[in-house]
Amino acid sequence: MGVFSSKRIVRARGFSRIELVVVLAATALLGVMLVPFLSKSRVKGQASSCVANMKKIGEAMAIYSRENAGKLPYAYILYTNERQTSWDTLLGARLGTPKPEPPPKNGIRVNVAPVPEALHCPTDTLAPASWAEKYQLKRRSYSMTRHDMLPQNWPPKFDNATGAGLWWTFGAKGDRPPAERIYNHGATNQQAAVTMSMLLMPKNIMLVTEQISSHNIAANGSRSFITRTLDHCETNGIAPDLLHGGRFNYLLADGHVESLFPEETVGPNGKAGQHVSAHQGIWTIRVDD
């Protein structure tokens, strides 16, 4: 016998058809089993990104407050024949807004600068309203709570049963006339506003929440503030269950973010959907509701 006669030679063979079918079936079954897990992981990742965005907004608001005598940014202001300004406009540079792109050759760019990523929740897939698309305007996913601006709640006080974001329109018929004691257009740090010192329990006072609407346009007054829980999602837009499982993210005045069902935000005696003037809980700057 030769040297190799005592060794068994094993010949490799391919899969049989039956074995191939079994492998493919097992692979398909494994894929089906992984789909819910991967889907949940994706949703969790998006929710985490949204929370991170809101924390960046909170940091930007804190910097703004320190630079402006403890005052919070207002929700929205409009002067006749002048550029409108909203809270995200004031926070733009503090949120890392890139430098404005040069205007196109065929005209002036309407949007001043690209919208910071921190203004958009990755779960929010709504397109801008047609009027905004016409001017290539971008959407944001968040809004400030609105101060009701009623005479009995002016000037803002720590016991106001209303939100923190002031809103002003000057120049139109019936509007409050501009005055330096209300707002100094040339010096932001002299504006009348809700101050951090008024927020006696900042961990229980909400400043910003999600408002998923095709009309929530960055650097625009439309939907820059939110007045009630029912306005979280546009009627014909994304269903709350598809956003964060029916929950919404809320930025509190001390900088932390909570994920809550709307009913959990309005206090023990509140009811989801009430107008902001009747809201309780984290929707107001009042401490005893």
Side-chain angles (χ1 to χ4, degrees), residues 41-64:
S41 296
R42 180 177 59 84
V43 170
K44 266 182 143 182
Q46 290 175 330
S48 297
S49 295
C50 186
V51 169
N53 286 348
M54 297 193 87
K55 287 183 177 180
K56 287 180 183 177
I57 292 172
E59 291 170 1
M61 283 193 168
I63 295 172
Y64 177 94

Side-chain angles (χ1 to χ4, degrees), residues 21-43:
V21 169
V22 170
V23 170
L24 291 176
T27 304
L29 179 61
L30 181 61
V32 170
M33 293 173 63
L34 285 175
V35 166
F37 173 77
L38 294 175
S39 180
K40 286 182 180 180
S41 296
R42 180 177 59 84
V43 170

Side-chain angles (χ1 to χ4, degrees), residues 40-117:
K40 286 182 180 180
S41 296
R42 180 177 59 84
V43 170
K44 266 182 143 182
Q46 290 175 330
S48 297
S49 295
C50 186
V51 169
N53 286 348
M54 297 193 87
K55 287 183 177 180
K56 287 180 183 177
I57 292 172
E59 291 170 1
M61 283 193 168
I63 295 172
Y64 177 94
S65 178
R66 289 196 296 270
E67 293 175 347
N68 292 280
K71 298 178 180 181
L72 291 169
Y74 46 78
Y76 170 65
I77 190 167
L78 173 65
Y79 275 81
T80 302
N81 300 324
E82 294 189 38
R83 186 183 298 277
Q84 58 184 323
T85 305
S86 54
W87 60 270
D88 54 308
T89 310
L90 293 174
L91 299 183
R94 300 169 183 86
L95 285 176
T97 305
K99 292 182 179 180
E101 298 176 7
K105 294 181 180 179
N106 59 347
I108 299 176
R109 186 179 299 279
V110 178
N111 48 328
V112 179
V115 177
E117 290 185 10

